[in-house]
Every structure is written in C-alpha cells, then in structure tokens.
C-alpha cells in the first residue's frame, strides 16, 4: 500500500495528553515533518508537555481555539493536513457542563473540516473514541457499527464525526477517523481513572470506584495509540474509520487493585462510590482493520501501568500543581458516597 507523504501538519489539541505524546513521537520519528500545534490551553492543556520541543526548527506552538474560524483558516492555509486532538474529554465533566463539549467537539470539528475543505488539504484526521459505539454488552464493535453514544462527551464526539462524514459525502472531504480506546501513560491529567488512582494512591487518598467496579474498558498505552494514529495518517484509506485498541478488557476494580500493588498501597484505600449516571459498562473494539494496515499494540496493561506509575512517581512537579483549586471543586461535585443516594 502506498504511503501518504505529508510535509506540514496542523496538530490541534497538541498540548494535551495524547496530542503531546503524538507530537513528540512525530518529532522523534519524522523530524522532516513541520508541525504547528494549535491549542487553547484549557485546564487539560499544559505547555510543559511540549517544553522539550521549544525552539526546534520545524516546530511552533500557537495558542488559540479551534472554534475561532479566522485563526483556523489562517493556520490551515499554511499546511497540507490537520490532525485533531482538541476536545473536551472527560465524561464526568460532560455530565456537569455539557455545552462546553458541544462547542469544542462538534462546532470546533466543523470549523476544522471547513478549513480543510477550503484549503484542499490532502487529509484531515479526527481522533475519535470507542465511546461513540455506546455500551456494548456482548461481542466486539466494528467500524461499520451504528453509533449509539450515551453521554454528552461521546455524543459530542459522535456529532463531530457525523458532521465530518457529511463533508465526505457532500464535498469529498478526505477524512480519516481513528477510534481509540482508553489511553493511559505519561502526562495524563489526573482525572481519568488511571492517573487519578495512581496519584491518589501515592498520597494515601481513597480510590473512588463507581458502583462495584465491574465496568470494563480496553486500556491502551498512549504510545501504542499514537503509533496507530500515525500509521492511519500515512496509510489509512480515506473515508474510513479505524479502531485503535488492544483487544483486552479490564475492569475498574482490577485497575484499582493493580495500582495499589504497584504503589504499595493498602486495599483499605478502595472506596465504592455512587455510580456515574448513564455509566457505559463495556467497550470492546475490534482491531482487525488497523491490524491489516500493519499495527499491533506493543505494551501489555501491567507493563504499561508499571511504567506509568514510575512516571508519576518521578514527575510530582508535573501533577501536584494540577490537583488544586478548581480540581477539588470538581471532585466534590462529582464524587458522592453511596449512602447519600439511599438516605
Ligand atoms: P486532554 O483533555 O488531555 O487534552 C485535550 C487538549 O485539547 C488540551 O490540550 C486542551 O487545551 C485542548 N483543547 C480543548 N478545547 C480546545 C479548543 N476549543 N481549541 C483548541 N484546543 C482545545 O485529552 P486527551 O486525553 O489527550 O484526548 C485527545 C483526543 O483523543 C480527544 O479528541 C479525545 O476525545 C480523544 N480520545 C481520548 C481518549 C483517552 O482515553 N483519553 C481515548 C480515545 C480518544
Ligand atoms: P474514565 O477514565 O473516566 O474513562 P471513560 O471515558 O472510558 O469512562 O473511566 C474509566 C472507567 O473507570 C469507567 O468504567 C468509570 C470508572 N471510573 C471509576 O470507577 N472511578 C473514577 O473515579 C473514574 C474517573 C472512573
């Protein structure tokens, strides 16, 4: 299969968790590709994630919003392709403030598609999620399956995808979509399960487990995910979506227990809390399409988690300042003991 050669990329949301890992991977493996990062620097965006790239030839950072049509149009005119990571991404926050998700994940995606169309880009890749399939009680989700999102986060991601798809049909937009599973690894904001549980365990704080901890996810090491995205960008068939996952499902309780083992924490730190409303209990993406392109995950969950625990142990100066102020306001609003529901 012939490889797409892209020279100048606009990476939206490149200062967040996965985006920054992707940009660093790209700079390491293909330094000839010029990269412009566009990022609004919300609470989840962090310039420290990209500090090691500052001053490098072929790299620049622009602070801005993907909903800002003029700015996006200006930057899009200088590149051959867009890769979009920019999004509001945390399901629990989407239950507290849905509109922020609609704005960035739907409207922002529309603005990027419009710019890619106008500037006749070679390709636009949207980084989406396996959550667009909704709760999957049995079997595996294939890319052609119906989208049945159940949270404002996943519905907004699905909305962005559908709008982009309408651009394929209506205007021939050269679209690629990746649907990644649950990522973990260095530089993840400590609100999703893995970094939250690691940082809480390191501080001797409780690990809040929704309901009975039986909900399963397919946890993928961030570098494996980024390599999958890069492969789809180079070799993916335009108009197609690709699941990027490991094929292995792990429950929340297993995540908590493994984190405690790796951090030397005691089982008394396990705390069962009120369930997330509309909690999806199972995601299980099929990975045969991306496997056919030549991708396989390299890191198993235990190895990747051990590596991630080490990273958080060695980078307290990165995560400790994030767990302050607004973070604890969110925490108090989100987590409730099971008793409150009963009484
Ligand atoms: P993140 O929350 O760590 O980072 C999101 C980034 O987007 C931040 O840098 C933020 O500042 C930026 N951003 C937010 N709104 C913006 C706007 N309006 N304009 C410009 N920048 C904006 O997210 P992440 O976990 O790195 O996820 C990246 C992408 O991957 C998202 O699109 C997400 O839906 C998708 N995804 C994430 C996971 C996961 O497990 N984290 C899994 C599959 C797919
Ligand atoms: P999360 O990391 O929020 O990702 P997702 O977007 O896939 O829901 O949650 C992963 C799983 O862990 C999900 O089943 C909910 C559960 N979970 C907890 O039990 N406690 C927590 O504090 C969090 C954040 C998640």
């Amino acid at each position: 299969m012939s490889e797409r050669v892209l020279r100048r990329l606009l990476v939206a949301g490149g200062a967040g968790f996965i985006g920054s890992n992707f940009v660093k991977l790209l700079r390491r493996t293909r330094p000839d590709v010029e990269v412009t990062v566009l990022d609004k620097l919300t609470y989840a965006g962090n310039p420290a994630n990209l500090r090691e790239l500052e001053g490098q030839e072929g790299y620049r950072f622009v602070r801005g919003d993907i909903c800002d049509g003029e700015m996006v149009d200006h930057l899009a005119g200088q590149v051959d392709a867009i890769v979009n990571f920019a999004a509001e991404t945390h399901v629990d926050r989407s239950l507290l403030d849905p509109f922020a998700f609609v704005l960035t994940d739907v409207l922002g995606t529309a603005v990027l598609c419009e710019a890619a169309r106008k500037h006749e880009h070679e390709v636009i890749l949207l980084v989406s999620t396996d959550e667009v399939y909704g709760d999957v009680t049995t079997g595996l989700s294939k890319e052609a399956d119906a989208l049945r999102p159940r949270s404002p986060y996943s519905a907004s991601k699905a909305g962005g995808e559908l709008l982009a798809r309408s651009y394929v049909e209506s205007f021939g937009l050269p679209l690629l979509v990746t649907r990644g599973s649950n990522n973990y690894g260095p530089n993840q904001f400590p609100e999703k399960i893995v970094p939250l549980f690691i940082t809480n365990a390191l501080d001797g704080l409780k690990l809040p487990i929704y309901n009975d901890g039986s909900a399963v996810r397919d946890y993928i090491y961030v570098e494996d995910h980024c390599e999958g995205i890069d492969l789809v960008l180079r070799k993916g068939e335009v108009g197609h979506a690709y699941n990027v996952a490991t094929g292995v499902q792990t429950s929340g309780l297993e995540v908590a227990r493994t984190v405690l083992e790796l951090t030397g924490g005691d089982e008394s730190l396990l705390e069962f809390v009120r369930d997330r409303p509309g909690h999806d209990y199972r995601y299980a993406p099929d990975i045969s399409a991306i496997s056919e392109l030549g991708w396989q995950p390299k890191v198993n969950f235990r190895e990747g988690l051990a590596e991630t625990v080490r990273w958080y142990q060695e980078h307290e100066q990165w995560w400790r300042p994030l767990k302050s102020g607004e973070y604890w306001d969110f925490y108090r609003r989100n987590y409730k003991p099971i008793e409150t529901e009963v009484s």
Side-chain angles (χ1 to χ4, degrees):
M1 185 178 291
S2 71
E3 191 163 318
R4 195 173 288 114
V5 180
L6 302 166
R7 296 268 168 239
R8 301 170 305 162
L9 276 190
L10 178 61
V11 180
F17 164 48
I18 308 173
S20 63
N21 276 283
F22 175 80
V23 171
K24 285 183 274 193
L25 174 78
L26 204 61
R27 297 302 291 162
R28 273 199 309 279
T29 56
R30 289 192 289 138
D32 50 317
V33 179
E34 284 178 27
V35 177
T36 300
V37 169
L38 170 65
D39 197 294
K40 185 178 174 181
L41 297 181
T42 66
Y43 76 96
N46 191 337
N49 297 350
L50 294 168
R51 194 139 292 144
E52 68 194 64
L53 305 182
E54 276 170 21
Q56 279 188 9
E57 200 179 318
Y59 165 78
R60 71 174 164 152
F61 177 83
V62 177
R63 185 172 190 174
D65 190 329
I66 59 166
C67 299
D68 177 346
E70 243 174 72
M71 170 175 275
V72 167
D73 180 57
H74 175 70
L75 295 174
Q78 303 169 355
V79 297
D80 323 310
I82 295 176
V83 181
N84 184 41
F85 293 88
E88 289 293 337
T89 62
H90 191 36
V91 172
D92 294 322
R93 287 186 190 256
S94 83
L95 297 168
L96 297 171
D97 181 14
F99 277 23
F101 288 70
V102 177
L103 277 180
T104 290
D105 302 10
V106 184
L107 178 62
T109 302
V111 169
L112 295 175
C113 289
E114 186 60 26
R117 160 168 102 106
K118 176 173 162 196
H119 294 285
E120 299 181 348
H121 281 179
E122 287 193 38
V123 75
I124 173 168
L125 187 150
L126 300 183
V127 178
S128 189
T129 163
D130 62 0
E131 304 196 23
V132 295
Y133 298 115
D135 201 18
V136 183
T137 42
T138 54
L140 301 177
S141 304
K142 294 188 79 84
E143 287 83 350
D145 287 356
L147 307 189
R148 294 195 173 86
R150 299 178 64 244
S151 73
Y153 165 62
S154 54
S156 301
K157 291 295 290 185
E161 267 200 48
L162 290 173
L163 201 273
R165 181 134 303 279
S166 80
Y167 268 59
V168 175
E169 302 299 335
S170 309
F171 311 117
L173 186 77
L175 174 71
L176 289 166
V177 171
T178 55
R179 297 192 184 129
S181 60
N182 289 61
N183 283 230
Y184 65 97
N187 294 114
Q188 187 170 25
F189 188 88
E191 63 187 356
K192 306 221 171 60
I193 187 169
V194 169
L196 173 67
F197 284 9
I198 293 174
T199 55
N200 276 12
L202 292 176
D203 275 348
L205 299 174
K206 299 271 191 196
L207 278 44
I209 298 164
Y210 292 139
N211 195 22
D212 58 0
S214 64
V216 299
R217 297 288 186 266
D218 180 321
Y219 290 93
I220 184 170
Y221 194 62
V222 64
E223 199 156 308
D224 278 337
H225 183 206
C226 290
E227 284 178 359
I229 294 169
D230 186 42
L231 184 67
V232 171
L233 190 59
R234 287 182 290 120
K235 295 192 175 172
E237 197 175 332
V238 157
H240 286 228
Y242 294 87
N243 294 336
V244 191
T246 70
V248 178
Q249 287 91 43
T250 307
S251 74
L253 188 55
E254 281 172 84
V255 172
R257 290 220 159 102
T258 316
V259 164
L260 290 178
E261 245 178 72
L262 292 167
T263 54
D266 191 272
E267 289 248 330
S268 63
L269 292 182
L270 299 176
E271 181 177 46
F272 295 91
V273 298
R274 194 184 68 177
D275 205 2
R276 168 188 285 172
H279 195 167
D280 286 341
Y281 267 72
R282 185 171 176 271
Y283 300 135
D286 175 277
I287 54 171
S288 35
I290 191 163
S291 305
E292 274 166 34
L293 286 186
W295 176 92
Q296 286 293 325
K298 295 180 182 145
V299 182
N300 76 40
F301 184 58
R302 208 189 153 87
E303 275 165 25
L305 198 60
E307 188 59 39
T308 307
V309 165
R310 260 195 301 281
W311 190 87
Y312 280 85
Q313 282 169 327
E314 288 166 7
H315 293 83
E316 279 194 29
Q317 82 289 357
W318 183 87
W319 59 265
R320 221 168 256 297
L322 304 177
K323 293 184 93 167
S324 63
E326 187 277 337
Y327 179 88
W328 292 116
D329 293 339
F330 160 72
Y331 209 89
R332 274 187 290 274
R333 286 171 72 200
N334 187 58
Y335 293 102
K336 300 274 188 286
I338 285 173
E339 300 81 68
T340 349
E341 219 177 22
V342 177
S343 62

